[in-house]
Amino acid sequence: MTVGPVSRDAATAEFLDGTAAGHFLLRHCTACDALSTPQAAQCERCCSTALDWRPAAGDAILVSWTVAHGRPDASGAVQHTVLGIAELAEGPWWWSQIVDPDPALLRVGLPLRISFRRSGNQQEAVPVFIPAKNA
Ligand SMILES: [Zn+2]
């Protein structure tokens, strides 16, 4: 199981332009300087709609996760996918895939680093997180 597919529309175009360039963009409030999640239509602190974009540093910590187990393949191996909540260093949370973890090592507060993946013939780069020790 992998992330996606993701389709571009008017609401996601600027964010996906950022991921294509290797940036995870956050909404920046020009009124109070707070950073909000990319999907925010107004500042999560002061409710202003005067927002522009700022790239996140790319560091995060693991807040919570679950492991989705797949079906065994022809060899009997079972693939799993870890889906988690990452708290970005700037504060906002993002739900995403945690790629290539050793599930036994997952813990609250595990340092993560953002990365981007395309699956199959998908054109859009989707943000995912990897343990910082593997970055
Ligand atoms: Zn604000």
Side-chain angles (χ1 to χ4, degrees):
M1 184 186 307
T2 57
V3 294
V6 171
S7 298
R8 174 181 294 254
D9 62 16
T12 60
E14 290 178 280
F15 178 75
L16 292 173
D17 286 347
T19 64
H23 301 293
F24 185 94
L25 298 178
L26 294 169
R27 299 306 308 236
H28 169 254
C29 177
T30 62
C32 78
D33 209 33
L35 294 168
S36 299
T37 56
Q39 69 272 23
Q42 61 187 45
C43 175
E44 294 168 356
R45 180 194 292 162
C46 76
C47 298
S48 170
T49 57
L51 303 175
D52 61 13
W53 295 95
R54 294 283 168 88
D59 297 311
I61 59 170
L62 185 60
V63 173
S64 185
W65 69 94
T66 188
V67 180
H69 298 281
R71 296 182 182 164
D73 63 17
S75 71
V78 177
Q79 299 295 317
H80 65 269
T81 301
V82 178
L83 303 173
I85 301 171
E87 180 179 314
L88 294 161
E90 294 81 359
W93 287 14
W94 189 255
W95 286 250
S96 185
Q97 184 176 356
I98 312 299
V99 177
D100 297 330
D102 176 350
L105 298 179
L106 295 176
R107 61 177 171 78
V108 173
L110 179 72
L112 301 171
R113 183 78 189 152
I114 200 150
S115 185
F116 301 94
R117 297 285 190 274
R118 290 180 171 87
S119 62
N121 59 359
Q122 178 177 306
Q123 299 299 310
E124 304 297 349
V126 177
V128 298
F129 287 88
I130 57 177
K133 64 180 178 53
N134 297 336

